[in-house]
Amino acid sequence: MSLQEKLEHVLSESSATFGVVVKHLGTGEEARVRPEQYFQMASTFKVPILATLFRDIDEGTCSLEQRFRLTEDDLVPGSGVLKEFLPGADVALRDLATLMIIVSDNLATDKILELIGAERVDAYMKELGLQNISIKQSCWELLSVGAGMGSEKKGAEGFHKVTEVFKTSGFDSDSVIFQPTPENNVTTPADMNQLLEWIGTGQLSSQAASDGILDIMKRQQLRNRIPYLLPDQTVVASKSGTVGHVVNDVGIVYLPEEKGAFTITALSFGHASTKEGERMIARLAQTAYEHFVNE
């Protein structure tokens, strides 16, 4: 069977809606499922943010050595570790960028967005020709709107209120954030995978920028999707994302025995559980890995 047929066979066992693009960076062999459909990015939107940050570093408008003092006004619920720190901690931009990716830290993400601007991330994607990557909301905005508390102000009080909503009732499944339109944080699988390809082949703003991005993404600690069913020593540069019934993972998988690498973008919604989506993404990555290794 072709790679396309193999991936479609795996997806036939899921009741969720998936958009998937897989591409071998050496041979160009590719498979695409709903490549041009909009999907909510969830925390995979942190990859375009990281790309824009390294573009700015290339241009000298910011430095990874800059330090930022965290306060209660910076608190953001959801994933990450910085929300557990006592107010007053000084954190370098390099550490914010790393934590944004490897533990999907929402506070770190919003601090970076304060520095570079969500509108500039959106504009950079358009400059690259990625017209279907749309960045409109910070983590705080995404989560507070998703909790039905879009008017809540950021800060300690708002943080505790939104956190409590998630504990008791979770996301509003009818929230506007799940609408597949450019007014939200959305992408098509094709555009996200193109961004990954440029990162993986050193064709972003510079080779140094691409290398810096990959160095962080390869440190990923959340490995229960793309890497989960792959051999233990497999090098994977990835970023996952979850919000409500949306379960995503995107990344670059490095193959053994000089067989190259492949990009994989797996975006989805409509899962009965997060674990169901995670298992499906792991199987998609395993299927692609075995296909390329055995060619």
Side-chain angles (χ1 to χ4, degrees):
M1 287 196 294
S2 68
L3 175 62
Q4 181 78 28
E5 291 169 329
K6 291 174 182 177
L7 295 180
E8 288 177 353
H9 177 72
V10 172
L11 289 172
S12 70
E13 300 177 22
S14 174
S15 60
T17 300
F18 268 87
V20 180
V21 176
V22 174
K23 185 175 182 179
H24 193 284
L25 294 181
T27 66
E29 183 178 0
E30 189 175 31
R32 295 155 63 94
V33 177
R34 299 187 183 89
E36 304 299 340
Q37 181 172 325
Y38 277 128
F39 288 81
Q40 162 64 244
M41 281 190 281
S43 281
T44 66
F45 92 122
K46 295 167 186 178
V47 177
I49 294 171
L50 189 66
T52 307
L53 175 64
F54 272 86
R55 187 277 307 268
D56 285 2
I57 291 165
D58 256 1
E59 295 180 349
T61 59
C62 60
S63 165
L64 289 173
E65 311 314 314
Q66 288 177 250
R67 302 190 74 84
F68 299 84
R69 179 156 293 178
L70 306 182
T71 72
E72 287 189 338
D73 288 340
D74 296 316
L75 288 170
V76 182
S79 56
V81 296
L82 290 177
K83 65 183 180 183
E84 311 297 343
F85 283 28
L86 290 173
D90 283 323
V91 184
L93 181 56
R94 182 189 305 275
D95 297 327
L96 291 175
T98 300
L99 291 171
M100 174 176 71
I101 298 297
I102 71 171
V103 293
S104 202
D105 197 292
N106 289 337
L107 190 160
T109 304
D110 282 5
K111 287 299 288 185
I112 293 173
L113 279 177
E114 286 178 22
L115 174 67
I116 65 177
E119 69 285 350
R120 292 184 66 252
V121 180
D122 193 76
Y124 181 44
M125 294 299 104
K126 303 303 186 287
E127 289 171 23
L128 290 172
L130 304 175
Q131 300 298 325
N132 297 313
I133 294 182
S134 179
I135 310 286
K136 302 301 183 187
Q137 297 135 350
S138 66
C139 291
W140 169 258
E141 291 165 338
L142 181 73
L143 294 170
S144 59
V145 171
M149 303 179 67
S151 62
E152 193 67 41
K153 291 183 178 180
K154 192 176 180 183
E157 184 177 349
F159 170 81
H160 292 300
K161 286 182 179 178
V162 174
T163 299
E164 189 59 33
V165 169
F166 286 132
K167 284 181 180 178
T168 56
S169 56
F171 279 95
D172 175 5
S173 60
D174 295 322
S175 172
V176 66
I177 67 169
F178 296 115
Q179 297 300 312
T181 68
E183 286 69 46
N184 288 314
N185 291 352
V186 296
T187 185
T188 60
D191 273 17
M192 177 61 80
N193 214 65
Q194 181 62 70
L195 178 60
L196 293 170
E197 180 179 345
W198 286 333
I199 293 170
T201 56
Q203 298 180 65
L204 210 52
S205 57
S206 70
Q207 183 69 56
S210 297
D211 289 345
I213 293 165
L214 286 172
D215 179 63
I216 291 176
M217 290 181 67
K218 287 177 181 178
R219 300 172 189 265
Q220 180 60 251
Q221 294 186 13
L222 307 177
R223 296 175 58 85
N224 57 353
R225 296 181 190 179
I226 290 173
Y228 188 68
L229 295 176
L230 303 182
D232 288 344
Q233 301 308 312
T234 304
V235 175
V236 179
S238 64
K239 180 71 198 81
S240 59
T242 311
V243 57
H245 54 81
V246 169
V247 183
N248 301 333
D249 205 5
V250 306
I252 303 168
V253 177
Y254 294 83
L255 300 165
E257 302 170 4
E258 299 184 352
K259 289 185 177 287
F262 68 90
T263 54
I264 175 169
T265 294
L267 310 175
S268 64
F269 63 84
H271 293 280
S273 70
T274 299
K275 287 187 180 298
E276 175 188 298
E278 290 172 343
R279 286 193 294 268
M280 186 58 60
I281 292 173
R283 289 182 59 200
L284 290 167
Q286 180 188 43
T287 299
Y289 179 94
E290 291 176 351
H291 174 83
F292 291 128
V293 166
N294 294 325
E295 276 197 320

